[in-house]
Amino acid sequence: MRDLMGMMKQAKELQERMQQMQAELETVEVDGASGGGLVLVRVTAKGECKAVRIDPSLVKPDEVEILEDLIVAALADARGKAERVMQEKMQSLTGGLALPPGLKLF
């Protein structure tokens, strides 16, 4: 019975820390880039796009497809960085708990 109570206490603590981390992740922002820095995007760790910056040299009517591809690449770069930030936060959050392999909390 003690083990069950201890597990319940750990689960409640984990839930509280998860809520805190979720709130924190909304404020963490990462930058993604493509085209050697000609296209920059800023996203939250939760994947919300906050800003897009495009170097004026890329704004040419006959090269719109290139610009579109660079924006997609910059967003992918930022998303990858955001996922790494989330993984690092999760590792620090669950460091003391023995969670089963493959268990995802998001």
Side-chain angles (χ1 to χ4, degrees):
M1 190 62 133
R2 277 189 194 170
D3 289 342
L4 180 60
M5 295 302 283
M7 286 176 52
M8 294 293 286
K9 182 178 177 184
Q10 278 187 333
K12 183 175 170 89
E13 290 172 1
L14 177 61
Q15 182 180 20
E16 291 170 358
R17 291 189 304 214
M18 287 289 292
Q19 289 171 345
Q20 291 171 347
M21 187 183 76
Q22 288 287 338
E24 182 181 334
L25 287 175
E26 290 179 12
T27 64
V28 173
E29 295 181 353
V30 294
D31 293 327
S34 67
L38 295 175
V39 175
L40 302 171
V41 296
R42 177 164 286 183
V43 299
T44 67
K46 293 184 105 177
E48 180 184 350
C49 185
K50 292 292 197 174
V52 175
R53 291 205 176 102
I54 301 168
D55 188 279
S57 68
L58 292 175
V59 184
K60 298 177 183 171
D62 58 336
E63 296 180 3
V64 171
E65 285 183 36
I66 294 170
L67 180 56
E68 291 169 344
D69 290 343
L70 289 171
I71 292 170
V72 169
L75 283 167
D77 181 46
R79 187 174 45 250
K81 290 176 182 176
E83 287 174 7
R84 284 190 293 280
V85 167
M86 286 181 64
Q87 287 174 353
E88 290 170 6
K89 297 255 181 219
M90 281 302 297
Q91 285 177 345
S92 68
L93 179 69
T94 61
L97 297 175
L99 297 175
L103 176 67
K104 287 193 165 198
L105 297 175
F106 284 98

Short mmCIF file of all heavy atoms in Angstrom, two decimals, residues 54-100:
data_model
loop_
_atom_site.label_atom_id
_atom_site.label_comp_id
_atom_site.label_asym_id
_atom_site.label_seq_id
_atom_site.Cartn_x
_atom_site.Cartn_y
_atom_site.Cartn_z
N ILE A 54 12.55 37.96 -44.08
CA ILE A 54 13.06 37.60 -45.40
C ILE A 54 13.96 38.72 -45.89
O ILE A 54 13.56 39.89 -45.93
CB ILE A 54 11.89 37.39 -46.38
CG1 ILE A 54 10.97 36.28 -45.85
CG2 ILE A 54 12.40 37.07 -47.78
CD1 ILE A 54 9.65 36.17 -46.57
N ASP A 55 15.17 38.35 -46.29
CA ASP A 55 16.10 39.33 -46.84
C ASP A 55 15.49 39.90 -48.13
O ASP A 55 15.01 39.14 -48.98
CB ASP A 55 17.45 38.66 -47.13
CG ASP A 55 18.49 39.67 -47.52
OD1 ASP A 55 18.49 40.06 -48.71
OD2 ASP A 55 19.29 40.06 -46.65
N PRO A 56 15.49 41.21 -48.30
CA PRO A 56 14.89 41.83 -49.49
C PRO A 56 15.46 41.31 -50.81
O PRO A 56 14.77 41.32 -51.83
CB PRO A 56 15.19 43.32 -49.32
CG PRO A 56 15.38 43.51 -47.85
CD PRO A 56 15.97 42.22 -47.36
N SER A 57 16.69 40.82 -50.80
CA SER A 57 17.28 40.32 -52.05
C SER A 57 16.55 39.10 -52.59
O SER A 57 16.69 38.76 -53.77
CB SER A 57 18.76 39.98 -51.82
OG SER A 57 18.88 38.85 -50.97
N LEU A 58 15.76 38.45 -51.75
CA LEU A 58 15.02 37.25 -52.18
C LEU A 58 13.67 37.57 -52.80
O LEU A 58 13.03 36.70 -53.39
CB LEU A 58 14.81 36.31 -50.99
CG LEU A 58 16.06 35.64 -50.44
CD1 LEU A 58 15.70 34.83 -49.20
CD2 LEU A 58 16.69 34.74 -51.48
N VAL A 59 13.22 38.80 -52.66
CA VAL A 59 11.89 39.15 -53.12
C VAL A 59 11.95 39.55 -54.59
O VAL A 59 12.06 40.71 -54.96
CB VAL A 59 11.28 40.29 -52.26
CG1 VAL A 59 9.85 40.58 -52.67
CG2 VAL A 59 11.35 39.92 -50.79
N LYS A 60 11.89 38.51 -55.42
CA LYS A 60 11.89 38.70 -56.88
C LYS A 60 10.72 37.90 -57.44
O LYS A 60 10.59 36.70 -57.16
CB LYS A 60 13.21 38.20 -57.47
CG LYS A 60 14.40 38.97 -56.96
CD LYS A 60 15.70 38.42 -57.51
CE LYS A 60 16.86 39.19 -56.89
NZ LYS A 60 18.14 38.59 -57.21
N PRO A 61 9.87 38.54 -58.21
CA PRO A 61 8.67 37.86 -58.71
C PRO A 61 8.93 36.53 -59.41
O PRO A 61 8.15 35.60 -59.28
CB PRO A 61 8.06 38.88 -59.68
CG PRO A 61 8.57 40.19 -59.22
CD PRO A 61 9.94 39.92 -58.66
N ASP A 62 10.03 36.41 -60.12
CA ASP A 62 10.30 35.18 -60.86
C ASP A 62 10.97 34.10 -60.01
O ASP A 62 11.26 33.01 -60.50
CB ASP A 62 11.13 35.47 -62.11
CG ASP A 62 12.46 36.14 -61.79
OD1 ASP A 62 12.57 36.78 -60.74
OD2 ASP A 62 13.39 36.02 -62.61
N GLU A 63 11.20 34.37 -58.72
CA GLU A 63 11.84 33.40 -57.83
C GLU A 63 10.99 33.10 -56.60
O GLU A 63 11.50 32.76 -55.54
CB GLU A 63 13.22 33.90 -57.43
CG GLU A 63 14.18 34.00 -58.60
CD GLU A 63 15.56 34.50 -58.21
OE1 GLU A 63 15.82 34.70 -57.01
OE2 GLU A 63 16.38 34.68 -59.12
N VAL A 64 9.69 33.21 -56.73
CA VAL A 64 8.78 32.99 -55.61
C VAL A 64 8.90 31.56 -55.08
O VAL A 64 8.89 31.35 -53.86
CB VAL A 64 7.32 33.30 -56.01
CG1 VAL A 64 6.34 32.86 -54.94
CG2 VAL A 64 7.17 34.78 -56.29
N GLU A 65 9.03 30.57 -55.95
CA GLU A 65 9.13 29.18 -55.49
C GLU A 65 10.35 28.96 -54.61
O GLU A 65 10.28 28.23 -53.62
CB GLU A 65 9.17 28.23 -56.68
CG GLU A 65 7.82 28.06 -57.34
CD GLU A 65 7.86 27.05 -58.47
OE1 GLU A 65 8.58 26.05 -58.35
OE2 GLU A 65 7.16 27.29 -59.47
N ILE A 66 11.46 29.59 -54.95
CA ILE A 66 12.67 29.47 -54.13
C ILE A 66 12.41 30.05 -52.74
O ILE A 66 12.75 29.44 -51.72
CB ILE A 66 13.87 30.18 -54.79
CG1 ILE A 66 14.23 29.46 -56.09
CG2 ILE A 66 15.05 30.26 -53.85
CD1 ILE A 66 15.25 30.20 -56.94
N LEU A 67 11.79 31.20 -52.69
CA LEU A 67 11.47 31.84 -51.41
C LEU A 67 10.55 30.96 -50.58
O LEU A 67 10.76 30.76 -49.38
CB LEU A 67 10.85 33.21 -51.64
CG LEU A 67 10.44 34.01 -50.41
CD1 LEU A 67 11.62 34.20 -49.48
CD2 LEU A 67 9.87 35.35 -50.83
N GLU A 68 9.53 30.38 -51.20
CA GLU A 68 8.61 29.51 -50.49
C GLU A 68 9.35 28.30 -49.92
O GLU A 68 9.12 27.91 -48.77
CB GLU A 68 7.49 29.05 -51.44
CG GLU A 68 6.55 30.17 -51.82
CD GLU A 68 5.61 29.80 -52.95
OE1 GLU A 68 5.85 28.79 -53.66
OE2 GLU A 68 4.60 30.52 -53.12
N ASP A 69 10.25 27.71 -50.71
CA ASP A 69 11.03 26.56 -50.23
C ASP A 69 11.93 26.94 -49.06
O ASP A 69 12.09 26.16 -48.11
CB ASP A 69 11.88 25.97 -51.36
CG ASP A 69 11.05 25.27 -52.42
OD1 ASP A 69 9.87 24.95 -52.16
OD2 ASP A 69 11.59 25.06 -53.53
N LEU A 70 12.51 28.13 -49.11
CA LEU A 70 13.37 28.58 -48.02
C LEU A 70 12.57 28.81 -46.73
O LEU A 70 13.06 28.52 -45.64
CB LEU A 70 14.13 29.85 -48.42
CG LEU A 70 15.23 29.66 -49.46
CD1 LEU A 70 15.75 31.01 -49.94
CD2 LEU A 70 16.36 28.81 -48.91
N ILE A 71 11.37 29.30 -46.86
CA ILE A 71 10.53 29.49 -45.67
C ILE A 71 10.19 28.14 -45.05
O ILE A 71 10.29 27.97 -43.82
CB ILE A 71 9.24 30.28 -46.02
CG1 ILE A 71 9.61 31.72 -46.39
CG2 ILE A 71 8.25 30.26 -44.86
CD1 ILE A 71 8.47 32.52 -46.98
N VAL A 72 9.82 27.18 -45.87
CA VAL A 72 9.52 25.85 -45.36
C VAL A 72 10.75 25.25 -44.67
O VAL A 72 10.65 24.67 -43.59
CB VAL A 72 9.02 24.93 -46.51
CG1 VAL A 72 8.95 23.48 -46.06
CG2 VAL A 72 7.67 25.40 -47.01
N ALA A 73 11.92 25.41 -45.27
CA ALA A 73 13.16 24.88 -44.69
C ALA A 73 13.48 25.56 -43.36
O ALA A 73 13.90 24.90 -42.40
CB ALA A 73 14.32 25.05 -45.66
N ALA A 74 13.28 26.86 -43.27
CA ALA A 74 13.54 27.59 -42.03
C ALA A 74 12.58 27.14 -40.93
O ALA A 74 12.98 26.97 -39.77
CB ALA A 74 13.43 29.10 -42.25
N LEU A 75 11.32 26.92 -41.28
CA LEU A 75 10.35 26.43 -40.30
C LEU A 75 10.72 25.03 -39.82
O LEU A 75 10.62 24.73 -38.63
CB LEU A 75 8.94 26.43 -40.89
CG LEU A 75 8.27 27.80 -40.96
CD1 LEU A 75 7.02 27.75 -41.83
CD2 LEU A 75 7.94 28.31 -39.57
N ALA A 76 11.18 24.18 -40.73
CA ALA A 76 11.61 22.84 -40.34
C ALA A 76 12.81 22.90 -39.39
O ALA A 76 12.89 22.16 -38.41
CB ALA A 76 11.96 22.00 -41.57
N ASP A 77 13.74 23.80 -39.67
CA ASP A 77 14.91 23.99 -38.80
C ASP A 77 14.47 24.43 -37.41
O ASP A 77 14.92 23.88 -36.40
CB ASP A 77 15.84 25.03 -39.43
CG ASP A 77 17.10 25.28 -38.63
OD1 ASP A 77 17.73 24.29 -38.19
OD2 ASP A 77 17.47 26.46 -38.44
N ALA A 78 13.57 25.40 -37.36
CA ALA A 78 13.08 25.89 -36.06
C ALA A 78 12.31 24.81 -35.32
O ALA A 78 12.46 24.65 -34.11
CB ALA A 78 12.20 27.13 -36.26
N ARG A 79 11.49 24.05 -36.03
CA ARG A 79 10.71 22.99 -35.39
C ARG A 79 11.63 21.94 -34.78
O ARG A 79 11.40 21.47 -33.67
CB ARG A 79 9.74 22.36 -36.39
CG ARG A 79 8.79 21.37 -35.75
CD ARG A 79 7.72 20.83 -36.69
NE ARG A 79 8.23 20.44 -37.99
CZ ARG A 79 7.98 21.08 -39.14
NH1 ARG A 79 7.24 22.16 -39.14
NH2 ARG A 79 8.47 20.66 -40.28
N GLY A 80 12.70 21.58 -35.50
CA GLY A 80 13.66 20.62 -34.96
C GLY A 80 14.31 21.13 -33.68
O GLY A 80 14.47 20.39 -32.71
N LYS A 81 14.66 22.41 -33.68
CA LYS A 81 15.24 23.00 -32.47
C LYS A 81 14.24 23.03 -31.33
O LYS A 81 14.58 22.77 -30.17
CB LYS A 81 15.73 24.42 -32.77
CG LYS A 81 16.95 24.45 -33.67
CD LYS A 81 17.34 25.87 -34.03
CE LYS A 81 18.53 25.90 -34.97
NZ LYS A 81 18.87 27.27 -35.39
N ALA A 82 12.99 23.35 -31.64
CA ALA A 82 11.94 23.38 -30.61
C ALA A 82 11.74 21.99 -30.00
O ALA A 82 11.58 21.85 -28.79
CB ALA A 82 10.63 23.90 -31.21
N GLU A 83 11.77 20.96 -30.85
CA GLU A 83 11.61 19.60 -30.34
C GLU A 83 12.76 19.22 -29.42
O GLU A 83 12.55 18.56 -28.40
CB GLU A 83 11.51 18.61 -31.51
CG GLU A 83 10.18 18.70 -32.23
CD GLU A 83 10.12 17.83 -33.48
OE1 GLU A 83 11.06 17.05 -33.74
OE2 GLU A 83 9.11 17.95 -34.20
N ARG A 84 13.97 19.64 -29.75
CA ARG A 84 15.12 19.35 -28.88
C ARG A 84 14.97 20.05 -27.53
O ARG A 84 15.27 19.47 -26.49
CB ARG A 84 16.43 19.74 -29.56
CG ARG A 84 16.86 18.75 -30.64
CD ARG A 84 18.26 19.02 -31.14
NE ARG A 84 18.40 20.26 -31.87
CZ ARG A 84 18.05 20.44 -33.15
NH1 ARG A 84 17.54 19.44 -33.83
NH2 ARG A 84 18.24 21.59 -33.74
N VAL A 85 14.49 21.28 -27.54
CA VAL A 85 14.26 22.01 -26.29
C VAL A 85 13.23 21.26 -25.44
O VAL A 85 13.43 21.07 -24.24
CB VAL A 85 13.79 23.46 -26.56
CG1 VAL A 85 13.26 24.11 -25.29
CG2 VAL A 85 14.91 24.28 -27.16
N MET A 86 12.15 20.80 -26.08
CA MET A 86 11.13 20.07 -25.33
C MET A 86 11.68 18.77 -24.76
O MET A 86 11.39 18.42 -23.62
CB MET A 86 9.93 19.77 -26.24
CG MET A 86 9.08 20.99 -26.51
SD MET A 86 7.64 20.66 -27.54
CE MET A 86 6.71 19.55 -26.51
N GLN A 87 12.50 18.06 -25.53
CA GLN A 87 13.08 16.81 -25.05
C GLN A 87 13.99 17.06 -23.85
O GLN A 87 13.97 16.31 -22.88
CB GLN A 87 13.85 16.11 -26.17
CG GLN A 87 12.97 15.49 -27.21
CD GLN A 87 13.75 14.93 -28.39
OE1 GLN A 87 14.96 15.11 -28.50
NE2 GLN A 87 13.05 14.26 -29.28
N GLU A 88 14.80 18.11 -23.93
CA GLU A 88 15.68 18.44 -22.81
C GLU A 88 14.87 18.76 -21.56
O GLU A 88 15.21 18.33 -20.46
CB GLU A 88 16.57 19.62 -23.18
CG GLU A 88 17.62 19.29 -24.23
CD GLU A 88 18.34 20.52 -24.77
OE1 GLU A 88 18.11 21.64 -24.26
OE2 GLU A 88 19.12 20.35 -25.72
N LYS A 89 13.80 19.52 -21.73
CA LYS A 89 12.96 19.87 -20.59
C LYS A 89 12.30 18.62 -20.01
O LYS A 89 12.21 18.46 -18.80
CB LYS A 89 11.89 20.88 -21.00
CG LYS A 89 12.44 22.19 -21.45
CD LYS A 89 12.25 23.23 -20.42
CE LYS A 89 12.79 24.56 -20.93
NZ LYS A 89 13.45 25.28 -19.88
N MET A 90 11.84 17.72 -20.87
CA MET A 90 11.20 16.49 -20.40
C MET A 90 12.20 15.63 -19.64
O MET A 90 11.86 15.04 -18.62
CB MET A 90 10.64 15.70 -21.58
CG MET A 90 9.32 16.22 -22.09
SD MET A 90 8.03 16.25 -20.82
CE MET A 90 7.87 14.51 -20.47
N GLN A 91 13.43 15.54 -20.13
CA GLN A 91 14.44 14.75 -19.44
C GLN A 91 14.71 15.31 -18.05
O GLN A 91 14.85 14.56 -17.09
CB GLN A 91 15.72 14.67 -20.25
CG GLN A 91 15.61 13.75 -21.44
CD GLN A 91 16.86 13.74 -22.29
OE1 GLN A 91 17.72 14.61 -22.17
NE2 GLN A 91 16.96 12.77 -23.17
N SER A 92 14.78 16.62 -17.95
CA SER A 92 15.02 17.20 -16.63
C SER A 92 13.81 17.02 -15.72
O SER A 92 13.94 16.85 -14.52
CB SER A 92 15.39 18.68 -16.75
OG SER A 92 14.29 19.44 -17.19
N LEU A 93 12.62 17.03 -16.32
CA LEU A 93 11.39 16.88 -15.54
C LEU A 93 11.22 15.46 -15.03
O LEU A 93 10.85 15.25 -13.88
CB LEU A 93 10.19 17.26 -16.41
CG LEU A 93 8.82 17.14 -15.77
CD1 LEU A 93 8.66 18.20 -14.69
CD2 LEU A 93 7.74 17.29 -16.81
N THR A 94 11.49 14.48 -15.86
CA THR A 94 11.23 13.08 -15.49
C THR A 94 12.49 12.37 -15.04
O THR A 94 12.47 11.15 -14.84
CB THR A 94 10.62 12.31 -16.67
OG1 THR A 94 11.54 12.32 -17.76
CG2 THR A 94 9.30 12.91 -17.09
N GLY A 95 13.57 13.09 -14.83
CA GLY A 95 14.85 12.49 -14.47
C GLY A 95 14.78 11.54 -13.29
O GLY A 95 15.44 10.51 -13.28
N GLY A 96 13.99 11.82 -12.29
CA GLY A 96 13.94 10.98 -11.11
C GLY A 96 12.90 9.88 -11.16
O GLY A 96 12.79 9.08 -10.24
N LEU A 97 12.14 9.82 -12.22
CA LEU A 97 11.07 8.82 -12.31
C LEU A 97 11.45 7.72 -13.29
O LEU A 97 12.01 7.98 -14.33
CB LEU A 97 9.77 9.46 -12.78
CG LEU A 97 9.18 10.52 -11.87
CD1 LEU A 97 7.96 11.15 -12.53
CD2 LEU A 97 8.80 9.92 -10.54
N ALA A 98 11.08 6.51 -12.97
CA ALA A 98 11.32 5.37 -13.85
C ALA A 98 10.08 5.18 -14.72
O ALA A 98 9.13 4.53 -14.32
CB ALA A 98 11.60 4.12 -13.03
N LEU A 99 10.08 5.80 -15.89
CA LEU A 99 8.97 5.66 -16.80
C LEU A 99 9.24 4.52 -17.76
O LEU A 99 10.36 4.31 -18.17
CB LEU A 99 8.76 6.96 -17.60
CG LEU A 99 8.40 8.20 -16.79
CD1 LEU A 99 8.36 9.41 -17.67
CD2 LEU A 99 7.07 8.00 -16.08
N PRO A 100 8.20 3.80 -18.15
CA PRO A 100 8.39 2.71 -19.11
C PRO A 100 8.93 3.24 -20.44
O PRO A 100 8.58 4.34 -20.84
CB PRO A 100 6.98 2.15 -19.30
CG PRO A 100 6.14 2.74 -18.24
CD PRO A 100 6.82 3.95 -17.74
#
